[in-house]
DNA sequence: TTGAAAGCGCTACCAC
DNA sequence: GTGGTAGCGCTTTCAA
């Protein structure tokens, strides 16, 4: 690949002139401009963004660090991010942590050292050890050449108050879900399959679950809260286990849809009627919710909007160039999407989106 | 973020020495090494990979260019790619073309100009116009600082014979699927919902479909081949349309699972028995195939292995440093996964993978 | 074993 | 309008 020097030689002009043409400066005569453009075309030259970045400290790259792109939830988020990025000249750089905090730390460091212009992060830094805390601390102080690299977290606010976030109110969502199960569906013994207990989001949902029970005069018992691990397999086994133990319940609220699908599968095998005997509710409203039979009532999380909002906010932060005076947390609304797993005979509109 | 100069000053040594420590050269005295390491730690220094790349022309970044990460098919591929990359020191850089050839061309150029060490590409360059051909031509000649940037394509071999690929035999897969529908399921009027006709993979599958019919003494008619667009919506509408027109058919073979899910939905609404009246078969075996009811018979494509093989091969190409004498096309095997949409009463083992 | 200095490809500043 | 040149942060000779 030719470099700027080659182009200059080929066109018979100085490097400066070539640079001016590339960067669209007006102070270059039409004749020279034409010659340079021809040389660029002849040599199939394209400017080396590494070297450019080294000088200008602007790479036009934005890193998106997620736990896993195959987690359906994040696919939608990515669509939103991409949509906003496309309109500007930014490229997106996706990497995956697979829920490993070590990998997350390594990736953030690596992105910073590559001088990305910003980082959109779905963190799994739940721990409270020294190393994790130091890492979280560092998130608001990432720099390249002395200038600030903004970080925006997804899903929940990171514990560093210097980092902005785009979130949904997990507690409120869970509250409304359980309140709905009690008041609209008429259930009384609601089991909650949660996320790993250490996860902030899981804790929030448990809090919402509890509040809904108590406000409706029902008893909160720890027996009814099961620790899940995101997978549909755990929903499946936990449910079979509940039934085997003869634990009484007439509804299950799961912290994500994958687990709820596992619950449905187990109930179907055990020939337990949904929703008459047991109603099931998920969270996130991924497309699988509308595909399973019975279709799954879930809480719709605006994933696309979440990604778009994160990117939009990121662009603002980059434009401003320095940490905002006051932290900004953008909260998006969720809503319940009612389907057959809580209400018999409801018409299930299969979503015809790309997946 | 501190730079190497700062570290050198802090440690009271030369830049060269710091560089030696960073790059693990042995020719540095233990005492100095300790001082430098302390300085690095104190300043929280991490080496700027941009500048490093500028000099060494090795960035340790590998670009993965896909149509869309939310297309379930590619999620699995990414897992495989990541698994292999993790073992080495490479970072993965994912971007999406959304089936736009312009975007694809732009991305490849941009990656090359960022001096990635290699590009794994799921191309949508089906066109035959001048620009596309020139682009495909260029794929085997990507360079940074005069050294070759290897490209490996996924899913199908690109028409440039200088580009290696990891693929499955689409024609053979389709052949086996249709042969199975005829001989095992006993169907005779098989409709094929294809990909957009211009797509190489779609053409291959149609060829396999045709061959299976003919080898089994059935007539191939163009009426039975419908052009699809990947979405479940098109499977849905095409099926309703067939039925409305009174087109006779007793099986549908779809070029992907999404379309097959749409077919199932339409048949269910029309109260047509699956598989007795109409058997349905998909392609790819994404997890949705095991979730729908009736569950969907499909062709399992080893996505994970595909990604892993592509990455493995990429690392070899990078190690060798120059184009191989002979093009290598790695072909992986597919297999039929039998479920309820072609065989009543078969036990459906829901896959408990992460999705 | 150590340090000085050239140079990777580019931009930006300063002269002319 | 144009060209010369310093320098971004790093690696890599070459000398000492």
């Amino acid at each position: 690949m030719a470099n700027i020097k080659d182009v200059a030689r080929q066109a018979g002009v100085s490097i400066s002139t070539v640079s001016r043409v590339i960067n669209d400066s007006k102070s270059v005569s039409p004749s020279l401009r034409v010659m340079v453009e021809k040389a660029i075309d002849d040599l199939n030259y394209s400017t080396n963004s590494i070297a450019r970045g080294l000088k200008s400290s602007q790479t036009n790259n934005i890193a998106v660090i997620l736990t896993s792109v195959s987690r359906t939830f994040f696919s939608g988020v990515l669509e939103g991010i991409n949509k906003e990025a496309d309109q500007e000249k930014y490229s997106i750089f996706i990497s995956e942590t697979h829920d490993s905090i070590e990998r997350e730390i390594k990736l953030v460091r690596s992105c910073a050292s590559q001088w990305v212009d910003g980082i959109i992060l779905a963190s799994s830094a739940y721990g409270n050890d020294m190393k994790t805390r130091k890492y979280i601390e560092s998130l608001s102080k990432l720099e390249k050449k002395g200038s600030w690299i903004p970080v925006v977290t997804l899903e929940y606010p990171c514990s560093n108050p210097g980092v902005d976030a785009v979130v949904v109110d997990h507690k409120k969502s869970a509250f409304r879900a359980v309140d709905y199960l009690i008041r609209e569906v008429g259930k009384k013994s609601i089991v909650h399959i949660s996320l790993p207990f250490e996860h902030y989001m899981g804790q929030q949902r448990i809090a919402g679950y509890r509040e809904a029970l108590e406000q409706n005069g029902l008893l909160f018992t720890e027996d009814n809260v099961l620790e899940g691990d995101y997978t549909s397999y755990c929903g499946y086994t936990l449910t079979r286990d509940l039934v085997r133990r003869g634990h009484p319940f007439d509804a299950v609220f799961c912290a994500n849809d994958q687990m709820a699908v596992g619950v449905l599968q187990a109930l179907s095998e055990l020939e337990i009627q949904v929703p008459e005997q047991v109603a099931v509710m998920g969270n996130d409203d991924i497309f699988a919710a509308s595909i399973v039979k019975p279709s799954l009532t879930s809480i719709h999380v605006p994933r696309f909007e979440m990604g778009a909002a994160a990117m939009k906010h990121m662009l603002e932060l980059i434009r401003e160039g320095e940490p905002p005076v006051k932290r900004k947390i953008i909260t998006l609304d969720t809503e319940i999407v009612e389907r057959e797993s809580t209400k018999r005979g409801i018409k299930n509109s299969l979503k015809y989106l790309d997946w």
Side-chain angles (χ1 to χ4, degrees), chain A:
Chain A
M1 226 145 207
N3 64 25
I4 198 172
K5 227 161 150 182
D6 300 328
V7 175
R9 194 178 313 123
Q10 170 98 1
V13 299
S14 72
I15 291 181
S16 319
T17 304
V18 177
S19 176
R20 284 186 191 107
V21 172
I22 292 166
N23 296 293
D24 224 25
S25 150
K26 43 253 65 257
S27 35
V28 52
S29 66
S31 57
L32 279 198
R33 161 162 270 129
V34 170
M35 290 172 67
V36 170
E37 275 165 352
K38 181 168 178 335
I40 288 178
D41 209 49
D42 286 352
L43 296 172
N44 192 27
Y45 165 80
S46 94
T47 115
N48 179 332
S49 41
I50 302 219
R52 193 210 291 264
L54 184 58
K55 185 71 191 177
S56 70
S57 84
Q58 255 246 343
T59 55
N60 286 358
N61 284 153
I62 290 180
V64 177
I65 301 179
L66 306 171
T67 61
S68 161
V69 294
S70 31
R71 210 164 276 171
T72 311
F73 182 87
F74 289 122
S75 311
V77 174
L78 278 174
E79 301 282 334
I81 289 175
N82 269 317
K83 188 209 129 211
E84 288 298 323
D86 273 1
Q87 296 171 354
E88 313 265 338
K89 64 215 170 305
Y90 286 92
S91 303
I92 297 304
F93 190 149
I94 306 163
S95 20
E96 310 180 290
T97 64
H98 289 286
D99 272 316
S100 146
I101 178 68
E102 284 78 26
R103 229 180 121 55
E104 180 177 330
I105 295 176
K106 204 181 115 196
L107 278 170
V108 168
R109 262 192 104 81
S110 147
C111 288
S113 87
Q114 302 213 19
W115 286 0
V116 295
D117 290 348
I119 300 178
I120 295 178
L121 174 66
S123 174
S124 13
Y126 305 108
N128 201 16
D129 55 304
M130 193 51 198
K131 199 173 145 206
T132 305
R133 273 162 47 197
K134 203 175 145 196
Y135 156 68
I136 293 179
E137 193 52 40
S138 77
L139 282 180
S140 57
K141 300 197 284 245
L142 263 25
E143 285 186 358
K144 50 172 178 181
K145 245 177 149 180
S147 82
W148 177 60
I149 302 177
V151 174
V152 172
T153 64
L154 293 172
E155 289 194 285
Y156 67 99
C158 124
S159 62
N160 180 333
V163 178
D164 288 358
V166 178
V167 304
V168 295
D169 187 333
H170 302 285
K171 187 177 165 195
K172 194 167 131 199
S173 284
F175 175 89
R176 282 168 49 194
V178 177
D179 191 64
Y180 158 83
L181 284 172
I182 298 168
R183 293 167 44 164
E184 311 270 323
V185 189
K187 300 299 186 180
K188 293 202 151 46
S189 312
I190 302 168
V191 165
H192 175 41
I193 300 184
S194 175
L195 303 180
F197 287 151
E198 54 172 8
H199 289 207
Y200 171 87
M201 291 181 284
Q203 291 161 6
Q204 290 294 300
R205 289 191 193 147
I206 293 175
Y209 162 81
R210 177 173 197 150
E211 201 169 301
L213 290 183
E214 291 172 348
Q215 283 203 16
N216 282 286
L218 296 174
L219 203 64
F220 170 88
T221 58
E222 299 211 333
D223 283 357
N224 275 333
V225 179
L226 274 35
E227 183 167 21
D229 67 359
Y230 287 100
T231 68
S232 103
Y233 182 67
C234 102
Y236 178 83
T237 51
L238 286 173
T239 304
R240 290 198 76 106
D241 202 47
L242 281 175
V243 173
R244 182 173 333 109
R245 281 167 23 216
H247 186 98
F249 64 105
D250 58 14
V252 183
F253 167 52
C254 298
N256 78 358
D257 287 341
Q258 281 86 342
M259 298 193 290
V261 169
V263 172
L264 287 176
Q265 172 82 359
L267 293 175
S268 152
E269 287 180 14
L270 296 163
E271 295 184 4
I272 294 173
Q273 295 301 310
V274 176
E276 289 79 3
Q277 292 177 269
V278 174
V280 180
M281 216 170 148
N283 195 330
D284 290 348
D285 190 28
I286 64 175
F287 76 91
S290 51
I291 278 186
V292 286
K293 285 237 167 88
S295 54
L296 178 68
T297 297
S298 188
I299 299 172
H300 180 74
V301 176
R303 299 186 286 283
F304 182 90
E305 291 75 9
M306 195 172 227
M311 189 65 199
K312 228 172 185 159
H313 187 55
M314 173 58 75
L315 294 174
E316 274 169 33
L317 290 176
I318 290 174
R319 219 164 284 133
E320 287 165 15
E322 52 187 50
V325 187
K326 200 179 167 324
R327 177 189 209 179
K328 186 158 182 195
I329 293 188
I330 300 169
T331 305
L332 303 180
D333 263 347
T334 58
E335 68 184 285
I336 292 174
V337 181
E338 213 172 10
R339 298 204 184 83
E340 297 163 349
S341 69
T342 58
K343 192 169 192 175
R344 169 73 54 179
I346 196 166
K347 120 173 182 307
N348 173 31
S349 75
L350 174 52
K351 289 200 211 145
Y352 297 111
L353 298 172
D354 186 33
W355 31 271

